[in-house]
Amino acid sequence: MDEVYLGPTQTTVPKIGLGTARYFGGRNVLVKGLASGLRLIDTAESYNARGDEPGQAELQVGKELAGHWDRVFIATKISPRNLAADDVPVHARASARRLGVEVLDLYQIHGPNPSIPIGETIGALERLVDEGLIRFIGVSNFSADQLKAAQDAARRHPIVSNQIRYNLFDRGVADDVLGLCQETKVTVIAHTPLALANFDGHAGSGVLREVSQATGRTPAQVMLNWLVGQDGVIAIPKTDRPERVAELAWSVGWELDPDQRRALDACA
Ligand SMILES: NC(=O)c1ccc[n+]([C@@H]2O[C@H](COP(=O)([O-])OP(=O)(O)OC[C@H]3O[C@@H](n4cnc5c(N)ncnc54)[C@H](OP(=O)(O)O)[C@@H]3O)[C@@H](O)[C@H]2O)c1
């Protein structure tokens, strides 16, 4: 699996990781993924929450990855309503406990909360880096302006990533923020990279099918290869099916030719 530097750090992450929203596990997809290098696992305190009870996905991920942590880069998220300075350490510790780890590799603000000053949240996250509970600070669903504000607030530790919805058919958020991320060395973690596997019915669906046929790769592989072929972009598809792990892993390790990439660039 190809790896890239995370933001401005010297730490590398795979171009393809695995997401866990609506992941219910039980079939060792994550462990199988590790063997193929899909070692960035993305989760959140809010995933698979039952009512107000958070962390079902984190518990599942922790159970499945117990004994394998030395190979994993774990990324989780704090929900927007929990971004007050006093709440941040409580929620970070709860996530670490549910996962069964002492250190969270990447701790991401799941989305902006305009009613809590971003400086307050970033300050609390920087203290957690100083304490060693988290290694890196990330954000998610931040626009260019929101990312700039977070970067300005970060005094001692950089914002290393912004997790945004970005896929072949859905470029909206990326228009706003992708350039800033690339200029300032913030890794874009593309969520929903397969457009929820809705490959048809989009303006670009025909081009996707054509490139898929020409390369002999599946539509999912073409979508992922197109994404992570861009500077500073990695992707976190989600699957419940072990038989899809190898397919996802082989979405890198080969290249679209320039004409194919141009056609995909222009198809949305
Ligand atoms: N930060 C945020 O606000 C945010 C929002 C949404 C998502 N995310 C993150 O991004 C991850 C991925 O996003 P997502 O789960 O919403 O959407 P996605 O990865 O675009 O699509 C997942 C769907 O694609 C299917 N699939 C997976 N591999 C496939 C393949 N090779 N061929 C055909 N279909 C395939 C899966 O079905 P099977 O399971 O049956 O394989 C599932 O239905 C999430 O798990 C989460 O970690 C973050």
Side-chain angles (χ1 to χ4, degrees):
M1 169 59 58
D2 301 347
E3 298 225 342
V4 290
Y5 287 112
L6 176 68
T9 77
Q10 294 301 304
T11 295
T12 63
V13 287
K15 285 189 171 181
I16 308 289
L18 287 172
T20 62
R22 297 172 299 280
Y23 173 71
F24 292 96
R27 299 172 72 194
N28 270 351
V29 166
L30 303 183
V31 173
K32 195 158 190 254
L34 288 184
S36 304
L38 305 172
R39 64 180 194 86
L40 185 157
I41 309 298
D42 180 74
T43 188
E45 63 175 355
S46 63
Y47 287 171
N48 306 355
R50 295 188 189 124
D52 277 342
E53 188 192 341
Q56 295 305 309
E58 287 179 333
L59 284 169
Q60 172 63 41
V61 168
K63 202 164 81 179
E64 196 169 323
L65 292 179
H68 301 278
W69 286 114
D70 53 330
R71 286 189 285 161
V72 176
F73 183 97
I74 188 70
T76 191
K77 307 187 200 79
I78 180 166
S79 300
R81 65 177 176 210
N82 301 325
L83 297 179
D86 287 349
D87 292 338
V88 169
V90 175
H91 285 263
R93 285 195 192 97
S95 282
R97 205 166 37 244
R98 282 190 292 268
L99 287 161
V101 297
E102 288 182 2
V103 179
L104 300 169
D105 291 308
L106 178 64
Y107 199 43
Q108 305 157 101
I109 299 175
H110 205 148
N113 180 343
S115 61
I116 299 175
I118 188 67
E120 175 179 336
T121 307
I122 298 291
L125 290 170
E126 290 191 304
R127 287 192 285 282
L128 292 183
V129 177
D130 293 338
E131 282 171 27
L133 179 61
I134 67 179
R135 289 175 68 201
F136 303 114
I137 301 169
V139 297
S140 177
N141 302 311
F142 272 39
S143 68
D145 285 346
Q146 290 161 341
L147 175 59
K148 270 188 226 139
Q151 289 174 312
D152 287 347
R155 303 263 175 249
R156 298 187 304 286
H157 303 291
I159 309 297
V160 302
S161 59
N162 188 10
Q163 185 177 133
I164 53 176
R165 184 180 176 110
Y166 185 32
N167 63 58
L168 188 66
F169 305 128
D170 194 343
R171 319 265 181 104
V173 184
D175 282 347
D176 178 30
V177 76
L178 180 61
L180 176 66
C181 289
Q182 289 171 329
E183 278 160 33
T184 59
K185 281 194 186 276
V186 171
T187 297
V188 168
I189 303 180
H191 77 62
T192 325
L194 299 175
L196 298 169
N198 292 321
F199 301 131
D200 297 311
H202 304 275
S205 296
V207 175
L208 175 61
R209 293 281 170 201
E210 279 166 29
V211 174
S212 171
Q213 270 178 4
T215 54
R217 313 286 174 170
T218 66
Q221 289 175 321
V222 172
M223 285 182 80
L224 293 173
N225 190 288
W226 173 80
L227 268 175
V228 305
Q230 298 169 50
D231 183 29
V233 179
I234 67 171
I236 46 165
K238 170 257 161 190
T239 185
D240 274 336
R241 306 191 203 191
E243 65 273 20
R244 283 185 164 161
V245 169
E247 179 187 345
L248 294 174
W250 280 109
S251 56
V252 292
W254 55 278
E255 285 191 13
L256 292 160
D257 75 32
D259 286 341
Q260 291 164 343
R261 182 160 282 283
R262 266 192 295 275
L264 291 164
D265 286 346
C267 81

